[in-house]
Amino acid sequence: MQENSRWHAFENADQIAVAACQQILNAAERAIADHGMFKLVLAGGKTPEHVYQLLSQADTNWSKWVIYYGDERSLPADHPDRNSVMANQAWLSKVAIPAAQIHTMPTEIGTELAAAFYQPLVAAALPFDLVLLGVGEDGHTASLFPGHQHKQDELVHAVYNSPKPPQERITLSAAALSASHEVIFLIAGGNKQEVVKHWQQGADLPVARIQPENPIDIYILREYLQFETTPDLPSDYCGQSGHALDSVNQHRDNMPR
């Protein structure tokens, strides 16, 4: 099982989105109080989109938020399949985060150039305050795919052979994604039972390479948990959505910055 983790089981994706939204807002409040800004890395996908829709209705000090992306497809800037377009439509265009604090990945200029452009932005930002991630059915997260090899000293990788279209993308490295005070995985949608089982059993998957210093929070549909193969869930496993959120808040209050 993923080391240094807390698993939170929910009945549906709506509960996951609500809990994740609340954790993000709590993290923002703490980060702004601690060092004057909140550095958040966004993920793509349907469940994050629901989180972003909820965030668009939140009351917070948006002027202190700084937005980064975990990965992006090499597509025109206005292409509907880009993570930045989805996040902008669901949330960012509706709140008062200064445009200069929203750091999109400029993949429209070319994959290699975009990775080179984004690398110093990431280096200057580390550590992030919170990273939001998903998990694919093959165990990928962001655009870190099984079997791919990248240079160990890179914070941003150019990807040319993605098994999912489009083949060209850029992605933050496992090291960059791990350099965060908080990491949340959102697992809902698709057929994730098998990959979750392999992840829990210690398979060498890209998702398992995200190893921050503090425990990660895994928000997951209850149906994806393989109780017959993982009889001993960690002590921080939460079986009900309300208890899960209480657990998140309790741990966050005691977390070193």
Side-chain angles (χ1 to χ4, degrees):
M1 180 174 290
Q2 180 89 10
E3 296 180 3
N4 208 22
S5 61
R6 294 185 290 266
W7 295 70
H8 311 278
F10 296 84
E11 299 301 328
N12 56 60
D14 288 344
Q15 291 179 353
I16 289 177
V18 169
C21 178
Q22 188 60 61
Q23 182 174 344
I24 292 168
L25 292 171
N26 291 346
E29 183 177 356
R30 280 187 298 274
I32 293 168
D34 182 66
H35 50 267
M37 65 180 61
F38 176 55
K39 296 173 289 185
L40 173 65
V41 177
L42 304 187
K46 290 296 184 182
T47 305
E49 183 177 18
H50 190 181
V51 175
Y52 304 154
Q53 290 167 343
L54 294 174
L55 284 171
S56 73
Q57 305 167 35
D59 181 15
T60 183
N61 188 354
W62 295 116
S63 70
K64 303 298 185 182
W65 288 51
V66 188
I67 302 299
Y68 302 86
Y69 286 83
D71 71 323
E72 187 59 273
R73 299 169 174 90
S74 292
L75 295 168
D78 60 351
H79 196 286
D81 289 343
R82 282 182 59 128
N83 293 335
S84 59
V85 171
M86 178 273 282
N88 187 62
Q89 292 176 344
W91 169 32
L92 298 177
S93 64
K94 302 175 183 179
V95 300
I97 301 175
Q101 293 170 203
I102 300 176
H103 299 293
T104 58
M105 291 176 155
T107 51
E108 66 276 7
I109 68 175
T111 302
E112 198 73 32
L113 283 175
F117 173 86
Y118 216 69
Q119 174 105 2
L121 292 177
V122 173
L126 297 180
F128 297 117
D129 294 303
L130 193 149
V131 168
L132 197 62
L133 292 168
V135 179
E137 294 177 9
D138 59 354
H140 83 267
T141 191
S143 284
L144 299 170
F145 293 99
H148 285 195
Q149 300 295 321
H150 299 289
K151 294 179 180 178
Q152 294 298 311
D153 60 346
E154 290 180 340
L155 295 175
V156 183
H157 303 312
V159 177
Y160 292 101
N161 54 345
S162 164
K164 300 176 62 177
Q167 288 191 323
E168 292 192 16
R169 303 150 175 253
I170 72 172
T171 184
L172 298 195
S173 68
L177 293 169
S178 298
S180 180
H181 294 296
E182 303 182 39
V183 175
I184 301 175
F185 282 98
L186 306 177
I187 308 179
N191 181 13
K192 305 288 176 66
Q193 288 91 337
E194 283 302 307
V195 71
V196 169
K197 179 176 70 174
H198 294 317
W199 187 15
Q200 292 173 325
Q201 292 174 339
D204 182 19
L205 299 169
V207 64
R209 296 170 195 161
I210 310 304
Q211 296 282 355
E213 290 185 6
N214 297 320
I216 64 174
D217 287 294
I218 302 167
Y219 289 3
I220 185 170
L221 293 181
R222 185 187 305 278
E223 65 191 78
Y224 293 162
L225 291 172
Q226 303 288 319
F227 293 104
E228 68 275 13
T229 60
T230 57
D232 298 318
L233 287 166
S235 59
D236 285 320
Y237 167 78
C238 303
Q240 299 177 14
S241 59
H243 291 163
L245 191 52
D246 290 343
S247 172
V248 167
N249 292 335
Q250 180 181 359
H251 283 290
R252 294 281 84 83
D253 289 340
N254 296 323
M255 181 172 290
R257 306 290 311 173

